[in-house]
Amino acid sequence: VQLQASGGGLVQPGGSLTLSCTASGNIFSINAMGWYRQAPGKQRDLVAAITNGGGTNYDDSVKGRFTISRDNARNTAYLQMNSLKPEDTAVYYCFAFVVSGGPGDSEDYWGQGTLVTVSS
């Protein structure tokens, strides 16, 4: 199983970006998907997560600005980030809890980090 992340870049404060994360490989089902982020010198924190039923969870710092969604048919999650602030600057890591092969327990998989820089 591999996770391919995309969509990072440089954006001005107040701007928007959309991150995507696609899982591929021997996938039976995917439970939660989402993103963590890590700013320089800080710990990695959960940004947003979404279950396969569409339930969502957001860090307080992004509520009302970020929206997570997923396309189960495409094994893809999206993070729409609006009203970006300089403090959103970080490397964003997508994750997915994947059940591979057949019914069983899920394992966590991680995409490569994608840098989001919010600066004027």
Side-chain angles (χ1 to χ4, degrees):
V1 176
Q2 292 184 326
L3 265 58
Q4 180 66 45
S6 63
L10 173 65
V11 64
Q12 293 186 340
S16 298
L17 280 176
T18 300
L19 305 182
S20 64
C21 179
T22 299
S24 62
N26 188 17
I27 297 170
F28 178 75
S29 63
I30 302 176
N31 296 333
M33 300 182 75
W35 278 265
Y36 278 74
R37 67 184 178 186
Q38 188 167 22
K42 295 189 176 182
Q43 66 181 23
R44 189 178 294 191
D45 292 323
L46 178 67
V47 178
I50 185 167
T51 68
N52 56 6
T56 58
N57 183 40
Y58 295 94
D59 182 78
D60 286 345
S61 66
V62 306
K63 284 181 180 178
R65 300 188 297 122
F66 291 12
T67 302
I68 190 169
S69 61
R70 64 190 278 178
D71 182 338
N72 290 330
R74 297 177 184 271
N75 294 330
T76 299
Y78 304 95
L79 186 66
Q80 175 68 42
M81 306 184 292
N82 298 327
S83 302
L84 282 160
K85 304 175 181 180
E87 51 264 44
D88 295 316
T89 295
V91 177
Y92 286 68
Y93 298 90
C94 71
F95 69 90
F97 286 91
V98 179
V99 179
S100 58
D105 294 333
S106 63
E107 295 182 50
D108 59 310
Y109 292 87
W110 294 83
Q112 81 280 13
T114 183
L115 178 63
V116 172
T117 303
V118 185
S119 175
S120 55

